[in-house]
Amino acid sequence: MPTAPTSSPALNSKPAPVPIAGDLSGKLGWYYARIFPASQFTRWLRYGNDDTLSRREISFTLPGDIYLRWKSFPTPSKLLDSLKSLTPIKIDIGAIYNFPPADKNSVSAPLTPMEKELVFDIDMTDYEDVMGALAGGSAVEVCDRNWPYMATAVKVIDAALREDFGFRHILWVYSGRRGIHCWVADARARRMTNEQRSAVADFLYLRFEGRENAGRRQNEVTVPLHPSLARAKRVACEKTFRQFVLNDQGMLDGDERLRRMLAVVPNAAVADGIYQRLASSAGLSGPDKWDRIEKELLRAGKSDYGVRATVDYIMFKHTYPRLDVNVSKEINHLLKAPFCVHPKTGRVCVPFRATEVDGFLPGEMAPEVGSLLAEMKEVDGEVRGSGPASDLMLEGVKVFEEFVNAVEDEARSAQRKKKLEALDQRQAAELLVS
Amino acid sequence: MQVTSLSFVIPNLVTPPYLRHSSKRCSNLAFFATMQVARAAGTPSKLPGSSSIHSSRTAASYAPLYLSSSLRHIAFDIEELEGIALDRLKVLKAAETARSNASIGQRSAAAVDAIRTSIRAAERAAGLNIPPPGNPTREDRVLKDEASHFLLRLALCKTHEHRNWLLSTEHDLFTARLEGAGAEFALQAIEKADGPTVRLASASDLERFRQELDAVARGPGRMKGDSGTNYYTVAFEQVPALIRYRRVFLDKGMAYVPERNVLDIVSSQFRSKLSHALVTASKAVGLADGDQRMRPILESIRQHYAMEEQVKGFDPAASIERINLTQLNESLPAMPLCMVNMMTRLREQHHLRYAGRLQLGVFLKGCGLNMDESLRFWRTEFGKGAINSDKFEKSYAYNIRHHYGREGKRRNLAPFPCMRIINDRPGPGEHNGCPYREFEETRLKQALRSIGTDPNAIPVIAAKAKEGNFQTACGICFASSQPGIHAVTETGMPEYIPTHPNEYFIEARKRRFAPNPDVSMLDADIDEEEMLMAAAAVESQNSDATPKKSGSDVDRDNEVVNPRTPLEKKDVNCGNNGLNASPGVCVPDTPVQATAHESPVIRKRNDDAPELQQPAKPANLQSNKDIEQENQPSTESGNMTGADRATVSTNKYSRGKDGSAEDAPASPKRQKKAVSP
C-alpha cells in the first residue's frame, strides 16, 4: 500500500503515464458538476464562516497519482470551480491552520494546525488474520462479505464516542472499497491536541499480537472488563463473535483453526487439555464448541488470572475494532473526504447512519458513479438523476445533511454565546465607567 | 565581578537593577529582551508581593509550577548563575537516566518509585532539594531552584529536541517532587494554574456508577484500596495519561479520577503550561542570546547539554563506520536483533509494511547507505516477490526518498533510537519494534540462537526481556554474540547497554573490524596470558581474508540448513568469514555443544598463523546474493557511486583485521568477567 506522505511539495511533477480506467476523468467532471452535494459539503467545512474554510488544508489526487497538497480555498465557489476543472480522483481533508495553507510559502510565520475533526479509519485488511471461510477474492468482495466486522466496529466506536466522551456530531462514511471512516466534529473534538487525540485513540484501541508473537498475552483485557470494553462486548462484540465469527466464518472448524484460537491461552497445559477434549467432538457447531471452551477456560481460570482473561481476549481479538490509530493521533493527518468516488471501484464514499449499519451492505448501498450518470435525465430543463442509484445517493446526502445541520447549529450557538459574553463585558465596563 | 539580575530572565520586573550599571545600548536591548522573555516564559506580570512560592508550598512538598517567580531585585553573580543552571542540568540528566534504566515494559509502581528515588537523590547531590519550611536555607534554595529552571528554559527552548527533552525531564522532576502531596495541595495548585474545573463527585454519582468504578479500580496494574476513596470529576482532555491506559471511568466526557490520581491532573497541567511556555520562549530567545551577559551562560548550558549527549548518545554524523551496499551482508552479524529480524523477514517475504520499511530504512541510512543504494536494495528485495520495478517506483520509492529528505517536508529523517523502536509497536503482519518486547519467549530464544548468541546467556536475556528491561536484554545479547571482551558492572550486567541500533552496529563493527584494538577494549585489566593470546589472534587476523572477498562461493560452501531456526530456512550463510563451518557450532542447543562452543577453534591458514576465533560471533543469515551479484561487477568496473568508498572500506577493513585483538578467545579470566548467567 502506498502510504500518504505526511507532507509533500505542492506539485509532484512526476510524469503520469498511467491511463485511468474507462473515462473516469470525464465521468468525474459530470459527477462534481451535477451530483456531488457541493452546498452541504462546503457548509460543513465553513463551520459558520468562510474564514474557517479558507484556513483548511484540502488536497487533491489527480489522475496518474499526482498529489497536490496544501491547497486552500477562500470561498465555497472557488473550491467547487477547482473540483470541476481538476476533477480529482480523491479529495483529502486536512487541518484548519493559523493561516491559509496555500500561502505557506509567502508567509514567514510557521504554519500551525489549530483544529481538525477527530477522525478514525478502519480498514478490512487489518482483519485478515481473523478471516476464515469468508476470506479470499478481490478487496471489494472481501469487504462486502465481511461487512459484519465493520458493523461491529461502528457500533462499538460510536457508542464509546457518545457515552464515554460525550461527543454528538459523528459522521460515518464508507470509504468506497474496503474500509470506513469516522469524523467527530464537535467543537471540543476539533480543538484536541495531539496528545489528547492519541490518548483517545489508544483508549479505543486494543492490541492483539500477530500470529508471529502468539503467546505474549496482553494485559489490556482485564477481569473485570473496563466499562468501555464491557459495553463493547454487550452492544456488539459477543453477538458478532457467536453468530458471524463462529458460525459464518467457521473460526473453530477444523483442527488448525481450533489450535490457532487456543494458541493465545497463556497456559499450554490448559490449552492442550481443551484441544484434546474438543478434538473428539467434531460434530459440534462453532458456538457449541465455544461454549465448551469458555466453560473449560473459566474453570481453569479460577486459579489463573491470565487464563480467565483469555475468554474475553479471544472474543475481542476476533471482533473488536481494529483502528489505524496513526490516522487519529495527529491533528494534521489527512483523511479522504466523504462523497469522493473511489477510482478503483467507482463507488461513492457515502455516509451512513450508525444505527442502520447492519443493513448497509456496501455492495448494495453504495451508489456507483456510472449508474448515477446513466440515471441522469433532463426534467423540466434541469438535469436530475432518478433511479435506484440516485435514491441511494439521496439517502447518503440526507444523512450528511443532518450531520451538517447539527454542526452548524453548534457553531451558531457558540457564536451567539461569544457575542453575548462580549456584550456583557462591554456593559460591565460601561457600568464601571459611569 | 560581573553581576546580573535574574529579573532579566524572569518577569515581575519593575525596574531592572542591572540597568543602573550597564551601557546604554546594552541595557535598552536587555530591557526589551526582558519584557519579551517575560512574556515568553508564559508568565503574567504580577504585582510585587504575589509569589508562587508561598502559596504552593506545603509542609509536605515543594513542587512549583513556575507560573511566576519570586526573583525580583535579586542580583546574582554570573558564575554562580551558570553553576546553578548546570547543577539543575545534572539533576535532569539523572532523571533521564533513571527513566531509561527503568523497565519500560511495565509501568509498575516499583519502577515509578525507582525513578523518583533516583531523581530525589540527584536533587540532593546537586543541592537543589528544598528543605522543609523553617529551615534557614530554604529561601536560598527556592531562589536557586527558580533561577536554574528559568535559565534552562531559556537555554533549551530553541530546538524541538531540546524542548522535548526539557519538557519530559522537568516533568519527571516535578512528579518526583509531587510525591506525597495530598489532594488538597493538588486542588490548590490547579486553581492557581488557572486549570480545569475539578469537582468532588457526588454521592449519588458514586452510587450510580458504583459497578463501573469498581471494575476500573479492580483491574490489574491498578492500585488496591480505591474502594471508599473520593473521586473527582474533570474533563477527559485534562488527563490524557489516565485515558490512554484506561485507568479511569469515563462518562459523557467527564473522567472520574480517584483521589490518588488527582496529582496526575496537576502534573499534566505542569506539562502543558511548560510546553506552551517553551514554544513562546523559543520565539523570543534571540533577544536573550543577544545580551552579552546572558549569552555565555546560555551557551554554556547548551554546550554541557550537548557534550553529555555525545558521550552518552549516538551521533550519526560522527560515525566513521559507514558501509555501502556491497558490505551489507558481511555487516549483518553486527546488527541488533530488531534489524536482523526485519532483514530476515524482508528476505523471506520480499516485503515489509510501512513501519518496518521506515525503521529499517533509516537504520540502513544511518549505517551509511546512500539514497541510490537504498533504492536499489529495496527494489531488489521487493523484486524477488510480487512487486516489479514499476510498482516499486509507484508505491514505494517515494517512501525511501522520503527517508533521505528528498520528498515531502524534506526533513532528513534521523535513525530511530531504541526508545522510539520500543514504543513503536508492531501490529499484525508487521515486524518493526523491539524483539525483546514483542517476541514471545520461545520465539525470542530461537531468534537469539539463530544469530549465534552464547547459549548460556539466552535464558538470562529472555528473563530480562520478560521483566521489561529490553535494552539490558539487548546489551547482554551484544556481550554474548559480539566478539571481544565485554566489561561488566558489579551487578554482573554488561557495562554497554545499547540506546540506539546504529550505535550497537558501530560498536559491533568496531569489535569485528576495528583498526585500533583499543577501541572497544573497555577492560584494561588484562594479564599476560591474555595478552599473548590476543597477540596470537592479531596474527591470525593478518591471514584472515577479508570476508566479503571470498564472495558467495564461500557462502554456498558453508550452507547449512537447520530447520529449528526460522532464520535459516533457506540458503543459510553460515558466517561470512567462513568461520563457522559446522552447524553444531553455529546453533548449539545442548550443553555439550555449548561447552565446545566456548573453547577456541584454532585452525592453520596459508601463512601458518593460527586463527583464533569465537565461534559465537557470526550470525547465520541468508546472504543477499542478488545484490552482491548486481553490485560486484560495477564495483570492479568502477562506475558505481560507492566504488571508491568500497575500496577504501575494504582496505580499512583488512587493516582492522590486522590490528584487532577482538577475536581473541575467551580466557578463563575473561569468562569470569564476561556476562554469563
Side-chain angles (χ1 to χ4, degrees), chain A residues 308-355:
Chain A
R308 202 163 1 133
T310 308
V311 178
D312 284 337
Y313 180 80
I314 293 178
M315 188 252 322
F316 281 135
K317 185 183 172 184
H318 289 83
T319 55
Y320 194 80
R322 298 184 167 197
L323 299 176
D324 182 350
V325 277
N326 293 326
V327 175
S328 311
K329 285 183 174 180
E330 302 232 325
I331 187 168
N332 56 351
H333 205 293
L334 298 147
L335 188 67
K336 183 158 79 163
F339 296 106
C340 285
V341 175
H342 197 289
K344 291 216 170 91
T345 61
R347 289 180 183 177
V348 178
C349 311
V350 275
F352 57 86
R353 284 191 186 88
T355 46

Side-chain angles (χ1 to χ4, degrees), chain A residues 7 163 188 198 205 213 216, chain B residues 237 246 252 408 437 443:
Chain A
S7 65
E163 291 170 36
R188 197 172 163 183
S198 115
Y205 179 74
N213 303 330
R216 176 159 283 198
Chain B
E237 289 95 334
R246 286 189 216 96
K252 305 270 189 296
R437 178 174 206 176
R443 185 170 171 229

Side-chain angles (χ1 to χ4, degrees), chain A residues 1-3 5-9 12 14 18 65 125-126 128-129 162-167 188 192 195-196 198-200 202-210 212-216 218-220 222-227 229 305 320 322 329 332, chain B residues 212 214-216 218-220 222 235-238 240 243-244 246-254 271 345 351 353-354 357 393-396 398-399 402 407-410 425-431 436-441 443 465-466 470:
Chain A
M1 277 296 292
T3 309
T6 44
S7 65
S8 81
N12 186 342
K14 202 174 67 180
V18 189
D65 277 348
T125 40
D126 290 326
E128 273 165 8
D129 67 311
R162 288 175 197 279
E163 291 170 36
D164 293 340
F165 294 100
F167 294 131
R188 197 172 163 183
M192 280 162 74
E195 193 192 7
Q196 290 160 345
S198 115
V200 171
D202 282 339
F203 180 88
L204 295 172
Y205 179 74
L206 279 182
R207 163 166 295 281
F208 303 107
E209 75 278 353
E212 301 84 15
N213 303 330
R216 176 159 283 198
Q218 307 293 327
N219 59 5
E220 295 180 80
T222 55
V223 182
L225 285 170
H226 185 279
L229 296 180
Y305 180 88
Y320 194 80
R322 298 184 167 197
K329 285 183 174 180
N332 56 351
Chain B
E212 286 84 356
D214 189 49
V216 177
R218 273 170 53 208
R222 290 149 195 149
F236 77 86
E237 289 95 334
Q238 305 299 332
I243 303 282
R244 187 184 303 275
R246 286 189 216 96
R247 297 279 166 90
V248 284
F249 165 64
L250 284 173
D251 178 60
K252 305 270 189 296
M254 293 309 267
R271 205 189 165 93
R345 291 292 162 167
H351 189 266
R353 286 208 182 179
Y354 175 77
R357 291 199 302 275
E393 283 308 320
K394 248 188 106 194
S395 313
Y396 300 96
Y398 181 96
N399 263 186
H402 191 258
E407 297 281 1
K409 217 177 264 171
R410 299 190 169 252
R425 311 201 55 186
E430 292 183 329
H431 303 291
Y436 300 101
R437 178 174 206 176
E438 307 301 341
F439 284 14
E440 160 278 328
E441 194 172 334
R443 185 170 171 229
K466 206 168 189 175
F470 312 123

Side-chain angles (χ1 to χ4, degrees), chain A residues 371-394:
Chain A
S371 321
L372 283 173
L373 293 172
E375 287 172 9
M376 288 213 310
K377 279 183 209 109
E378 195 172 322
V379 183
D380 305 333
E382 203 184 317
V383 179
R384 254 190 243 153
S386 65
S390 304
D391 291 346
L392 292 175
M393 185 73 188
L394 221 58

Side-chain angles (χ1 to χ4, degrees), chain B residues 447-455 457-458 461 476-477 480-481 588 597 616:
Chain B
L448 288 168
R449 273 201 297 275
S450 72
I451 59 163
T453 313
D454 181 345
I458 290 179
I461 301 174
I476 307 175
C477 175
S480 47
S481 65
H597 189 84

Side-chain angles (χ1 to χ4, degrees), chain A residues 10 20 67 121-122 142 237 277 283 371 392 402 416 430:
Chain A
I20 287 304
Y67 200 62
D121 180 11
I122 305 169
V142 168
C237 291
R277 248 158 281 164
S371 321
L392 292 175
E402 283 166 16
R416 207 178 304 131
E430 275 163 17

